[in-house]
Each structure stands twice: as C-alpha cells, then as structure tokens.
Amino acid sequence: MELTVYLAGEIHSNWRQELKEKAEVLGIPLNFVGPMENHDRSDFIGEEILGEQPNAIYRDETASKINNFRTQILMRKSDVVIALFGEKYKQWNTAMDASAAVALDKPLIVIRPENLHHPLKELSNKANVTVETVDQAVKVLAYIFDEK
Amino acid sequence: MELTVYLAGEIHSNWRQELKEKAEVLGIPLNFVGPMENHDRSDFIGEEILGEQPNAIYRDETASKINNFRTQILMRKSDVVIALFGEKYKQWNTAMDASAAVALDKPLIVIRPENLHHPLKELSNKANVTVETVDQAVKVLAYIFDEK
Amino acid sequence: MELTVYLAGEIHSNWRQELKEKAEVLGIPLNFVGPMENHDRSDFIGEEILGEQPNAIYRDETASKINNFRTQILMRKSDVVIALFGEKYKQWNTAMDASAAVALDKPLIVIRPENLHHPLKELSNKANVTVETVDQAVKVLAYIFDEK
Amino acid sequence: MELTVYLAGEIHSNWRQELKEKAEVLGIPLNFVGPMENHDRSDFIGEEILGEQPNAIYRDETASKINNFRTQILMRKSDVVIALFGEKYKQWNTAMDASAAVALDKPLIVIRPENLHHPLKELSNKANVTVETVDQAVKVLAYIFDEK
Amino acid sequence: MELTVYLAGEIHSNWRQELKEKAEVLGIPLNFVGPMENHDRSDFIGEEILGEQPNAIYRDETASKINNFRTQILMRKSDVVIALFGEKYKQWNTAMDASAAVALDKPLIVIRPENLHHPLKELSNKANVTVETVDQAVKVLAYIFDEK
Amino acid sequence: MELTVYLAGEIHSNWRQELKEKAEVLGIPLNFVGPMENHDRSDFIGEEILGEQPNAIYRDETASKINNFRTQILMRKSDVVIALFGEKYKQWNTAMDASAAVALDKPLIVIRPENLHHPLKELSNKANVTVETVDQAVKVLAYIFDEK
Amino acid sequence: MELTVYLAGEIHSNWRQELKEKAEVLGIPLNFVGPMENHDRSDFIGEEILGEQPNAIYRDETASKINNFRTQILMRKSDVVIALFGEKYKQWNTAMDASAAVALDKPLIVIRPENLHHPLKELSNKANVTVETVDQAVKVLAYIFDEK
Amino acid sequence: MELTVYLAGEIHSNWRQELKEKAEVLGIPLNFVGPMENHDRSDFIGEEILGEQPNAIYRDETASKINNFRTQILMRKSDVVIALFGEKYKQWNTAMDASAAVALDKPLIVIRPENLHHPLKELSNKANVTVETVDQAVKVLAYIFDEK
C-alpha cells in the first residue's frame, strides 16, 4: 500500500526536500505532490498562459485560478495532507488548503514553530496532529506503516 | 424567506455592528450569527469551563475546542458566510472558516482592503465575491432579494 | 406543506408571471424564487457594486460572480427547479442551472418549444419531466398535491 | 501519476485530436475520454440498438439515454473535464456536462472564442479556468505536473 | 417536533387511511404524504398533461416520469418511510422506493404479511424494522415520541 | 480502462454466462461480479456459517445479512449495474439492487421482456437505459468504448 | 434560533433531568431528545410490538431494531449530540451513537468522569469537547448563544 | 479483485494472526490493515514523537491523535471492516471504529462471544453480520468470492 501526501505551505524554504529525504531514508512507501514551488512562476502563471492582464489584481486573479486548479486535482488524489506554517508571510492559502483537507475528510498534519501556537489554535484543533518539526511529521507518517 | 449569515473574521473592530445596521436600514430579512466577539473570553473560555491548564498551549487547545464547537454549529445553520480580513493579525482561523464554507457549499463573500489582494488571491478565487467594504457586502446581500 | 420553486431561464418574456398566476388560480401552496429579471441590472450588477471594470470581459466576470452567488443561495432553498428554454439566445446559464439542479438531486421540469427537442435531448433525458408550455408545468406542480 | 481527462463539447471539429497531439508532444501523462464523435451514430444509437422509434422526439430520447449513460460512466472516471464551445450550435449538452463537472467537484477548463464571453459568463465563473485556445488548455494541464 | 412520513406501496387497499386514523387516535404528531392513490389517474397522468402517446410503453414512460417527480419531492421532505407489500401485484416500485429510502438514510419500516418473508428477506434486512400489520407500524411510530 | 459490471437479477437462468460470452466476443474490457448464483447456497448461507436457526424467518434473516454484505461490497466496486427481470418470481431484491444503484449514482441498465413494461415503468424511468435482451445490453456496454 | 440536542448515554441516572433544568435556569433556547429512558421498555420493545421471540438473542435483535430506528430519526433532527459515560456498564451503544454523530458532522460533547480518560481517549479526541460534569456541558451549550 | 480489510478491536490476543492464516489457507485475495498492535507503543506514541506531556490525560490526548490519524487513513483504504469484541476491557474505541465504518458505508462484521449479545445489541443491528468466532468471519469473507 502506497500513500500520496500533499505538501501544502510555504515555498520559500526547502522543507519539502528535507521531508522527502527523511521519508526515503526510513523506506516509507509515499508519493509526494504539492504546489508549484517556483514562486515567480506561481505568481505569473496566469499571464504566462493567458497573456498580460489589466492590472496587478487581475494578474493575481488569473494566477490563482490556475494554482487552485492544480491544488484541487492533486489534493483529490492525496491520502494525507501536511501543512507547514513558517515564521513569515500571511500564508492564508496554506490555512485554506488545510481547512479544505479537513472538510474533505483528508487526514491533516500541521507543522508550525511553537511560538505560532496562539494564532493557529483553531486550525491545530481541527488537524489530526500538530508538530513542530519536519522530523516529527515524518515519524507520524512512519507510524502508519509500523506493526510493532 | 429569511437568510442566516455567519460573520467570520476579526473581532477587534465594530464591522459586524456596521453591517447589521446597514442591512436593517435596507430592510433585508437577515439573521446574523458569528464567533464570540469578546476577545479575552474567547481566549480563556477553555479555562473558564474546564479549569486551569498546564501551560499556554493547552489553554489555547481547550479554548479552540469550544470555539470550534460554536462555529461548527452556527455555520451549519447559515445560508451565507461573510469573512472579513483586516490589516493586522494572522487571521488564520478566518481563512479556515472561509475555506470550510466553500467546502460545505455555503456561498461566501470575502471583505478585504485592496492592498491585501496578493496574499488572499487563492481564497478570493474560491469565494463567490470579493469586496473591499462592508457597504459593498451589504449591497451584495440586498441583491439576493431584489426583483428589479 | 409549502414548496419553493426556482424558476431558471430566459428573462425577456413574462413566463414567470404567467406561471405564478396560474399556480395561484389553482391554489397550489408554492413560493417562487429566481434570477434578477431586470436584464440590464443583471449585466451591470458587478460594476454597480464594485465600480468600473477594465473591459467588457471583466465587467461580465464581476456580474456573473454576483449572479451566481444569488442563484446558489436560492437554488439551495428550493424543492423544485423549472428551466424554460425559448427560441432565441444561447441560454447556457439556463442549461448550467438545470444541470446543477440534477446534480444536487433537485427535481427538474424543463419547458421548451417542441422544435428544440433535438439540441435539448440530453438535458431532457436528465430532467424529470419535459413539457412544452407553462400550463403543462403548472399541471405537473399541481399533481404533487393532488390526492385523487 | 496519470490523470484522465474528459473532453466535452462539439464533435464537428478536430479539436480533440489537436489537444491529444499537443499533450503528447509535451509528454504529459494523460488519458483522454469523451463522447461518441461520430455525429450520425450518436444521433441514431437509440434506434441502432433498440429499433425504430415512433417519431423524431422518441428517436432523440432513446439516443440521449445511451449517450448520457456513456457520459456518466466516463466522467466518473475522470480527474479533469475540459469543455469546448464553438461559434455554432446550441451546445446545451456541453453546458450540461460542464455544470455537472462542477457539481461533482471535478476541476473544469472551459475553452471558448473571446466573442462568446457574454453568454458564457456564468459558466466561466463556475469553471476553474477559461481559455480561448486548445493550446492554452494544454499549457494549463502541463502546469499540474511542472515542478519549477 | 412533528415528523413527516412517506407511505409507499399498494394503492388498491385503504391501509393509508387505517394508519392515519390509528396515529390520530394515539395523538402522534405526524404528517403523511404518499403517491397518487387514484390508480387510473396515476397510470394516465402522462397523457393527461402531455397528450396522447404513440403506444402503451410510451404512455407508461410519460406517466412514470411524473409519478417519480412527485415521489422524489415528497420523499425528500420525509423523515420516515413506510413501505407496505400486499399479497398481489409485482410492486417493484414499492421495492424501488424502499431501497431509495435506505440509500438516502431515511429510516424505513416494511409492512408485509408473514408469508412474504422469503422474497422480501434482503429488503427486510435493509429496513430498520419489518412488521406484519399497520397496527404494529403505528406502534413503532408512537415509540419515537414515548418517554417512558 | 477496464470497467466492472455488477449483474443483478435472477439466478435461475444462464443470462450472466450469455452476457459474458458476448462481451468477450466483442473484446470489451469488462470484469463481471454478481450475487451467489447457487440458489440453495444463497438461501442457506446463514445456517451454513452461523448454525441452525429457530425457524424459516430467522433462516432467511441470517442468509440475507450475508447476501447483502456481499452485494454491498461488490456494488461499491462496480462502475455499471445491469438488472435483469424475468417472467417469474417476485424479484424484489433485484428491484432493491437496481434502486440502490441509482441512489449511489451508478449507471444502470434494466433488461426486461416487453410485457413487463407496466409494472417496471417507474424503475425503467430511473434507469439510464431499458432493453429487452442480453444482446442489446451488450451493445450498450460496447458503445462506451466505441470511438466511431 | 433554537437548537435541538440529542442526549446519548446511560439511562440509569437522572443526568438528563439535571441538564435540562440547568439549561432552563440559564434560559438557553434548547429542545432535548434522546433514547427511551425506561430501561425495561427499551429492552422489551421488540417483543411488545412484534410478539414473543425464540430466545434472548432474538429478543435483543428485535428491540435493537426499534431502538436504532428511534435514534436514527432523532439524531438526524439534532444540531448537537451529548454523550455521557458513567462508571458502570459497557455502554457500547453510547460509543456507537457518539461516533455516528462525528461521522454525520454533528458537533459532539462527551461527559465522562476523569478516571475514564484512558479507555475513552480516542473518542474524546474525535469529540469537539470532553467535560467531566453536566454543569460544564451546560456551560459549553450556553457559550453558543453568548455574545460577550 | 483484491479487497482490503481493516481489523478493529482488541490488541491483547492473536486473533488477527489467526484470521490472516485462515484466509491464506483458503486462498482468499485479501490485504489486512489495522491499528498498532504493540499496546505500550500505542499508549506512548504521543510522547515518543512529541515529547513528555504534563500529565496522564495529555499523554493520552497526544497518543489518541496519532492513533486516530492512522485509523482514519487505513479505514478509508478499506473495503470491509471487522470489529472483534473480547470478554475484557471497555473497548470503546472498537465500538467507535465499528460505528464509523457503518456511517462511511463500509460493510462491517462484528465478532463477539455469545454472552456479550446484550450490551452489543444495537451495534450488532447496525453491522452487516455478527458472528462468534474468527472462523465464521473468515467464512463470510470467503463467500464474497465464491461462485457456487
């Protein structure tokens, strides 16, 4: 049995790479999917495909359509969602993806630094598990397959 | 036909009062529900009912359980959700409520200042309508009942 | 027991008025809801609330957001959907509303002139009942309440 | 991960072939399904299997039953739906398929010439992405699999 | 709290009247809905509204469309479904309604004479309760409201 | 793409074998599942596994539990359901399976001799397609995969 | 806005009465429903309506059918479920009702003495809120309606 | 066709091993999944991954989060659920898993010693089949695949 894991959250650090490597070391049978990690491409994908837009708001609107299209497809294919919140940025689309996962009955792990516990308290309560490090998230994934 | 509207979002300003008054002036047949607006009570409701907790994280956990319980009941009773994002704060629970509304097929209006268009672009795309002011949100609600 | 009926379809003729009057004559306990019937207001509602848009496509986009918001709320409140197709116009949003009704398990009556039977054949097959006149649709509604 | 794409819409042009070839050139791992593209067979499939019908309306009814049966099976198997609207024809079954895709939570791309923006505005708003060419649709599909 | 009960099943005897009267004697707060009980009207409702059909099969087809339309609306409004099977007739639409009730998560009581236990065994197993008389069915309904 | 077909209906004739052979001749990529076809074993499976029961009704009850368990699993795995009604027997579990298929959004073909059109009219109307012979049902299945 | 609360759990103590009285003192607009509280009647309701059964297991089977029928109806009508676990008894039907509430997206409060925390840990984690006393449960209910 | 079976219930005996071996002897094409069977690890998995907790209740809370995460994933992957109740222990999480299976429309077999029939009567009634031994459960599984 292989599971597919959607990795929602910030695209400014290499946490996805770290998580994939640690999962591989442990031999956990997982596939990973997630958002476009090239930040500029993610922001300009609307204009890249549909041409120049009248202003910044419409550039954002066309980009978000295509990013949400990608996320909807890949999240539907996933068995588990992991959402990582970092120290910086608004990260409202991460919160949106995490909440959608819960509503779709997809098990959810939240990764956040301890000092974000207060603003994330309602989302943590909806998640199955909240951890502080990528390492802990990998251990939770490994536990699915452990027999002893 | 009366509709019930859940008002998600910041509890530090009086936008709910403003919205209710403007809806009343227009005679729109609406009921309003929403989160506990007393910030301190919302943060300490866990300890208020369940007693002192071992530390700040567990205080947050018990409070969020009861706040999420309230939100789940009231959102299920609602026909429309309005989520307001202000300039300050993380507001991840607002994003969480807005995303849950979409997943539950509840029509959603997002209110946000124009300068937040970039971090909210994916959520705006999932909302039915995004506006900048409470006044505009009320006009959208009024349109449901207009015949001409 | 009162039923709510959503009247989807063209807004250039007075078929809704005719249907309501015939239902009233028969004393059928029905409430009626439907789209904005003022065509100009329906087309310009986006700019009316959100201000001037960069071009005709974006004017349409903002209007359609608010029209779809209205339709989603009212269709969720409905027990039955009636979709009328006339001789003119593309009427793709009528087909869209009719198909959404089927997918939401809302019973659907299609009203169309006989000569449209070919282009509407797949939609007619998904509808519960296809009739040719408003009068026939009212008789189908009356039958719900008849006991003999 | 391979995705299955349902290609709804007109069967009088070779747009499906064009789309499949462009997807193959880009090496996107996609399977394609869709309606019967032989127009005559699609119209007469009811009589082909069930024998002669009393009149044209019943010929249409039997054909539409079998065409809807095929569409229901194949759309359930699909991860994405693309609906193309051309300049001609009523295309109400295309609108019906597109709307069913949205209601089933299947991500939807609409392809339409720019000059159809007005009659398709509500459907475009429900779609994830609206484009004007097959080429643009293929780029949206490719973006699902891009990592950079 | 009032409950609505859909009474599916044969329309050749007066079991619905008997059941309603016994419920009224016990003062149980119930509303009753059900199919058209005038057998001829039920069989000819298609031609009554849509005009003469080419043959008996098409007469049945148009009648069944309107009868199913009625049943779908009334069953959606119901909290409980009771399906009575008599000694005579095929009663496949009764079995169809009973099975639809189970699939829609509507609690189901089956009434059947003891000697039909074998052909109804799979349906009885899906029902919540199987009884032999109208009197027993009324007692099951009364039990919902009993406190002691 | 392979499809799984559940074959509901009478187990006293060899129609399943005929259907499988005709599908194989046409090279249609189908898997077939269905109920236990050994009539005696189907009736006594409860006592075979759980031991002797107090009377015929309880023998039926234990058998139906295990038969419904099998059907629920196999129908969930199916893409299409075919329900055959013969001249004899009550066949209420066939009607039950057919109705459950419709409620679960599984495409349904009904096979019945022409003279049963009246008692099956409501179920035929809910089915996607009604045919009279196994041969016609196979042609409908073949059409799913035809491209021209 | 009035809410309906299903009170699952032991029927050997008067906790329901205590909870109702405390809610009334606080003026919370609640209706309460729940299982048959007369233990003997609950155990013998099958034989009361359907007559003597062959043995104790079948007596239990007929009683549980009617008790589950009642619970399914009343829980579907409820906005909130409260499940109380006491010191004694297996209480597996209480755990069953609580789990069904979660699966049906009904908000759930668990009441249990502190010393049962270990065997109830997985259920507590699925509940919205776990408390130790009826008094605390009433305070959680009151908080839904508090504005300050 | 291979089926996946989730084995819920006590982890103090070797019933899972017995069931797997008997299924293998019969050559039934089944995969088995289930909870962590190492009792100590199951109780301490929260602290193992997230570090020491303030007290026993919070140790249970963190463990149950991770155990429920595992169960949610594996039960979603399963076609059948088997829940075994033994003579000892509260086993409320077994009842919770069994009830969740029913609510998710997963076919359910309950295994319990005869003398537990009374406290399990409501859950047995919701299960598809209740048996007394592992051997009987294996025979029910084998019957899914039997053709004669």
Side-chain angles (χ1 to χ4, degrees), chain A residues 48-107:
Chain A
E48 179 185 320
I49 295 179
L50 295 165
E52 203 179 344
Q53 299 300 310
N55 58 40
I57 291 187
Y58 282 113
R59 182 172 60 231
D60 277 357
E61 185 157 322
T62 50
S64 66
K65 284 176 182 173
I66 298 173
N67 286 321
N68 280 343
F69 173 77
R70 175 182 173 133
T71 304
Q72 185 178 345
I73 293 169
L74 297 180
M75 203 184 277
R76 282 171 58 102
K77 288 286 184 188
S78 300
D79 301 300
V80 180
V81 174
I82 297 181
L84 179 140
F85 289 85
E87 300 279 2
K88 290 188 277 185
Y89 309 105
K90 297 287 190 186
Q91 307 178 87
W92 285 323
N93 56 353
T94 307
M96 176 186 88
D97 289 346
S99 179
V102 171
L104 293 169
D105 196 30
K106 304 276 182 186

Side-chain angles (χ1 to χ4, degrees), chain C residues 40-58:
Chain C
D40 277 359
R41 197 159 178 231
S42 168
D43 277 0
F44 290 93
I45 185 64
E47 293 197 326
E48 179 185 320
I49 295 179
L50 295 165
E52 202 180 344
Q53 300 300 310
N55 57 41
I57 291 187
Y58 282 113

Side-chain angles (χ1 to χ4, degrees), chain B residues 10-51:
Chain B
E10 71 173 22
I11 58 179
H12 310 79
S13 68
N14 70 338
W15 71 276
R16 284 183 184 79
Q17 193 52 35
E18 181 193 345
L19 195 151
K20 289 176 195 175
E21 285 168 9
K22 285 181 167 163
E24 196 175 15
V25 167
L26 294 177
I28 321 175
L30 301 172
N31 297 312
F32 293 98
V33 291
M36 166 53 63
E37 294 181 57
N38 177 333
H39 197 172
D40 277 358
R41 197 159 178 233
S42 168
D43 277 0
F44 290 92
I45 185 63
E47 294 196 327
E48 178 185 320
I49 296 179
L50 295 165

Side-chain angles (χ1 to χ4, degrees), chain G residues 102-118:
Chain G
V102 171
L104 293 170
D105 196 30
K106 304 274 182 190
L108 172 68
I109 299 172
V110 165
I111 308 177
R112 56 114 185 84
E114 185 181 343
N115 63 324
L116 287 182
H117 75 80
H118 189 67

